[in-house]
């Protein structure tokens, strides 16, 4: 398979927070990979911006180090690294002051696409938008990219939307959720809406339940102070998992067009039922030999913040009424794995006389990480003599196998999304009303914990979370899929 890389139009990309962790680990290495692939035009410009003065050469050395650490595999070529670095420069700018703005404004070419990536703390998003406007750096072809978290609750998300919209139209605001940039997530839409096989079965009549798992092995690490104000609900469920849920559950859009897709996602969020306390399990990791507990990591023995959450959700619409959707996410779990599993119902009658317990429905697993891909579990006859004995086998839709090794070399989520920004395609970005609707659903759940002083259950590091989360499914005759890397 020969991949088709279509170069994007010339652009100026300013990365506010260009010396930060996200810029070094994801944004700059991602841009280098796109350069390597031939997608960046020779007259593209990438400008790093943050408060501390540094000559262009020093910034380029930092970018080179980031490429060598995060993007060098298979792309180690001094001339091409130099070629990429020739597109890069730096300006010292203070988001909250006046320093550096005139110099930055002079660098921007008003007749081209301008993309401003807000890779700074969320408290600076409003300041940046205001100053871009004040210094006349925003035109028709301007886009701003806003990192997560988009607000802390409904009120702050509304305030942020209002502030950004004072200076930019909704069509210019790209709220990034890197889960939407994953290859498999887009494949999920291709599989659902590009085939007739799945869609007729994609409803409460045939789907027993859906599981969405995002499991991490790491703890909160150096992000303890931030994480403790957020917790798994705000950090993962309100944004990433909600987006996955929307793509799984939405109606087919009339066209693969940004607003058509986002309209359908919004309807899913609005149809989510409130969640009663008995359908929620919150957890916090305990310590073990050589592993600090959550309390120690966040330096607060009294913290009531969850590092794990499992929930049973219901969508009240014609398609999904009665089909539970179980979501769980947590830190310090037994493996790093993210997947969506659509578990279909049993065949209504067993022609082969299996006992009910021996019968399993088909399961479609959409694997986000590691080993992106999909597999469909089907029942077949066990080969050989001995009558009609049934076994389950995975029908593996491994893209790499079917499409050749190039299929494994797909752009990572950030690369793809940055190119979408340049192309002006908002399909894989959250719209303002989606973000607000997600908070409107999340806020009452969190408020209830806070009112009641709800204490998360402790769980062992390396486990699958608190025992109680298993009961969420056991009590209904179901079980979680194992968390496997
Ligand atoms: P970080 O490592 O703390 O970097 C922050 C950047 O902002 C630095 O370059 C800093 O440089 C710059 N900065 C701070 N105050 C500034 C000001 N007043 N004016 C101009 N620049 C300023 O943060 P990060 O981890 O890269 O995260 C950036 C954003 O991405 C945050 O919103 C975060 O929530 C989000 N995010 C990060 C990750 C991740 O993996 N890191 C993942 C998802 C989302 P100076 O101090 O030199 O100014």
């Amino acid at each position: 398979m020969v991949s088709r890389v279509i170069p994007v139009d010339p652009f100026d990309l300013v990365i506010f927070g260009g010396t930060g962790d996200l810029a070094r680990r994801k944004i700059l290495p991602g841009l280098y990979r796109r350069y390597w692939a031939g997608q960046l035009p020779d007259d593209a410009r990438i400008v790093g911006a943050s408060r501390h003065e540094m000559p262009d050469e020093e910034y380029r050395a930092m970018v080179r180090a980031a490429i060598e650490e995060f993007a060098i595999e298979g792309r180690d070529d001094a001339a091409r690294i130099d070629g990429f670095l020739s597109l890069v420069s730096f300006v010292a700018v203070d988001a909250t002051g006046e320093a550096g703005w005139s110099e930055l404004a002079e660098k921007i070419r008003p007749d081209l696409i301008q993309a401003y990536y807000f890779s700074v703390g969320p408290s600076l998003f409003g300041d940046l938008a205001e100053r871009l406007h004040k210094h006349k750096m925003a035109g028709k072809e301007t886009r701003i990219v806003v990192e997560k978290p988009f607000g802390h609750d409904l009120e702050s998300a509304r305030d942020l939307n209002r502030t950004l919209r004072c200076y930019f139209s909704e069509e210019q605001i790209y709220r990034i959720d890197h889960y939407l940039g994953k290859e498999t997530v887009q494949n999920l839409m291709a599989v659902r809406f590009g085939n007739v096989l799945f869609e007729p079965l994609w409803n409460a009549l045939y789907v027993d339940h859906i599981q969405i798992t995002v499991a991490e092995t790491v703890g909160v690490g150096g992000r303890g102070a931030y994480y403790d104000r957020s917790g798994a609900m705000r950090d993962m469920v309100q944004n990433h998992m909600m987006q996955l849920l929307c793509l799984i559950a939405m109606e087919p859009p009339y066209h693969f067009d940004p607003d058509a897709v986002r309209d359908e996602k919004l309807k899913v969020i609005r149809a989510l039922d409130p969640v009663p306390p008995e359908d929620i399990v919150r957890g916090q990791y305990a310590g073990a030999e050589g592993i600090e507990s959550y309390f120690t990591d966040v330096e607060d023995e009294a913290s009531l913040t969850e590092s794990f959450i499992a929930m049973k959700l219901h969508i009240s619409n014609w398609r999904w009424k009665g089909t539970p959707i179980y979501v769980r996410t947590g830190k310090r779990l037994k493996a790093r794995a993210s997947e969506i599993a659509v578990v279909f119902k049993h065949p209504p009658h067993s022609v082969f006389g299996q006992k009910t317990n021996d019968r399993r429905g088909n399961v479609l697993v959409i694997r986000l990480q590691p080993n992106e891909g999909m597999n469909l579990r089907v029942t077949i006859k066990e080969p050989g003599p001995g009558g009609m004995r049934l076994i389950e086998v995975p029908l593996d839709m491994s893209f790499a196998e079917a499409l050749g090794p190039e299929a494994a070399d797909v752009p990572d989520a950030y690369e793809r999304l940055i190119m979408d920004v340049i192309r002006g395609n908002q399909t894989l970005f959250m719209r303002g009303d989606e973000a607000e609707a997600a908070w409107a659903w999340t806020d009452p759940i969190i408020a209830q914990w806070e009112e009641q002083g709800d204490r998360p259950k402790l769980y062992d590091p390396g486990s699958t979370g608190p025992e109680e989360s298993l009961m969420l499914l056991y009590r209904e005759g179901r079980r979680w899929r194992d968390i496997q890397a």
Side-chain angles (χ1 to χ4, degrees):
M1 190 201 70
V2 179
S3 68
R4 285 179 304 126
V5 174
I6 302 167
V8 293
D9 290 336
F11 63 87
D12 289 339
L13 168 65
V14 178
I15 308 169
F16 292 106
T19 55
D21 177 67
L22 185 67
R24 282 192 315 100
R25 282 193 311 110
K26 293 290 180 186
I27 304 172
L28 291 160
L31 285 163
Y32 172 65
R33 282 192 289 262
R34 289 296 88 209
Y35 175 81
W36 179 278
Q39 202 162 10
L40 303 195
D42 291 340
D43 52 353
R45 280 189 201 157
I46 298 162
V47 184
S50 67
R51 281 169 304 181
H52 294 100
E53 289 283 354
M54 70 170 91
D56 284 345
E57 275 321 308
E58 191 180 329
Y59 187 61
R60 288 189 191 122
M62 194 215 85
V63 177
R64 183 189 293 276
I67 292 171
E68 282 169 357
E69 190 173 354
F70 299 109
I72 204 71
E73 207 185 317
R75 297 177 182 84
D76 190 356
D77 181 307
R80 287 175 76 181
I81 296 178
D82 287 344
F84 175 73
L85 292 178
S86 71
L87 311 181
V88 174
S89 62
F90 183 82
V91 178
V93 172
D94 185 354
T96 57
E98 291 310 313
W101 283 96
S102 312
E103 195 190 332
L104 183 61
E106 272 168 29
K107 275 194 180 255
I108 299 302
R109 296 168 292 179
D111 48 330
L112 298 185
I113 295 165
Q114 305 104 35
Y116 299 107
Y117 199 127
F118 293 6
S119 182
V120 293
S123 62
L124 300 177
F125 295 166
D127 291 304
L128 287 176
E130 188 191 332
R131 280 171 179 72
L132 285 171
H133 177 76
K134 182 173 160 191
H135 291 272
K136 304 200 172 18
M137 294 165 68
K140 220 166 61 302
E141 286 298 335
T142 297
R143 294 107 213 230
I144 59 169
V145 184
V146 185
E147 259 302 334
K148 86 168 212 189
F150 195 85
H152 186 73
D153 52 18
L154 177 58
E155 199 185 332
S156 54
R158 272 193 185 138
D159 284 348
L160 185 51
N161 271 333
R162 258 195 298 267
T163 306
L164 297 179
R165 286 182 192 137
C166 287
Y167 309 108
F168 296 95
S169 69
E170 183 60 38
E171 289 67 39
Q172 295 180 300
I173 305 172
Y174 289 69
R175 296 173 194 78
I176 205 160
D177 185 321
H178 69 277
Y179 273 63
L180 291 183
K182 288 181 184 288
E183 183 74 6
T184 329
V185 171
Q186 291 167 69
N187 243 316
L188 166 62
M189 287 190 277
V191 165
R192 274 194 70 189
F193 305 133
N195 298 284
V196 292
L197 269 184
F198 297 101
E199 209 43 31
L201 307 179
W202 209 263
N203 57 51
L205 276 182
Y206 294 101
V207 176
D208 179 71
H209 71 280
I210 295 172
Q211 300 185 11
I212 306 178
T213 297
V214 177
E216 298 177 281
T217 50
V218 292
V220 297
R223 295 169 70 221
Y226 157 76
Y227 192 90
D228 201 43
R229 285 193 304 276
S230 168
M233 185 72 165
R234 286 190 170 99
D235 192 50
M236 292 299 299
V237 178
Q238 184 274 343
N239 39 44
H240 306 312
M241 299 185 86
M242 181 72 82
Q243 291 294 318
L244 298 180
L245 170 68
C246 286
L247 295 179
I248 273 282
M250 72 184 189
E251 296 301 315
Y254 73 91
H255 193 253
F256 192 59
D257 154 274
D259 275 328
V261 171
R262 296 183 302 175
D263 285 346
E264 296 308 334
K265 282 161 58 196
L266 180 63
K267 287 183 208 162
V268 174
I269 305 174
R270 290 196 172 141
L272 272 175
D273 286 350
V275 191
E278 63 272 20
D279 288 347
I280 305 177
V281 177
R282 301 171 70 227
Q284 245 177 15
Y285 55 83
E289 207 176 317
I291 299 176
E292 303 286 14
S293 68
Y294 180 83
F295 288 150
T296 318
D297 278 346
V298 302
E299 297 175 14
D300 179 5
E301 289 253 321
S303 169
L304 296 179
T305 305
E306 75 286 352
S307 62
F308 173 95
I309 188 163
M311 307 168 89
K312 181 171 86 162
L313 311 182
H314 279 286
I315 299 172
S316 274
N317 65 15
W318 195 298
R319 185 187 282 263
W320 292 116
K321 188 75 190 173
T323 295
I325 298 171
Y326 301 96
V327 300
R328 72 177 156 171
T329 180
K331 295 194 173 290
R332 287 248 183 270
L333 297 180
K334 65 180 278 200
R336 175 173 175 265
S338 303
E339 64 168 42
I340 304 168
V342 181
V343 182
F344 291 88
K345 290 186 175 171
H346 298 169
H349 165 68
S350 169
V351 175
F352 308 109
Q354 304 137 282
K355 297 193 189 79
T356 311
N357 285 349
D358 291 342
R359 284 190 286 144
R360 299 241 180 95
N362 302 104
V363 181
L364 177 67
V365 178
I366 300 125
R367 183 103 176 152
L368 306 176
Q369 64 186 18
N371 317 321
E372 285 197 55
M374 292 194 198
N375 96 43
L376 177 66
R377 201 174 63 193
V378 292
T379 300
I380 62 162
K381 177 188 169 298
E382 193 174 323
M388 188 59 96
R389 289 192 313 270
L390 303 182
I391 53 167
E392 285 166 8
V393 292
L395 208 63
D396 208 344
M397 292 181 257
S398 155
F399 310 131
E401 253 173 53
L403 305 174
E406 278 183 49
D409 192 25
V410 292
D412 98 338
Y414 275 95
E415 294 172 58
R416 179 192 311 276
L417 293 173
I418 295 170
M419 290 301 99
D420 279 356
V421 172
I422 305 298
R423 281 189 291 249
N425 184 346
Q426 289 187 303
T427 311
L428 299 175
F429 295 82
M430 245 188 307
R431 208 167 52 191
D433 51 3
E434 274 183 82
E436 289 183 19
W439 281 120
W441 175 80
T442 311
D443 274 4
I445 300 173
I446 296 177
Q448 195 172 36
W449 303 337
E450 288 176 353
E451 265 162 39
Q452 294 170 353
D454 188 70
R455 179 164 291 284
K457 316 267 183 302
L458 286 181
Y459 61 93
D460 289 332
S463 69
T464 56
E467 292 273 305
E468 289 81 351
S469 80
L470 305 180
M471 291 310 296
L472 261 186
L473 277 78
Y474 273 153
R475 72 187 188 206
E476 290 162 353
R478 302 183 173 108
R479 62 190 164 130
W480 287 110
R481 286 170 49 80
D482 194 15
I483 300 177
Q484 280 180 342

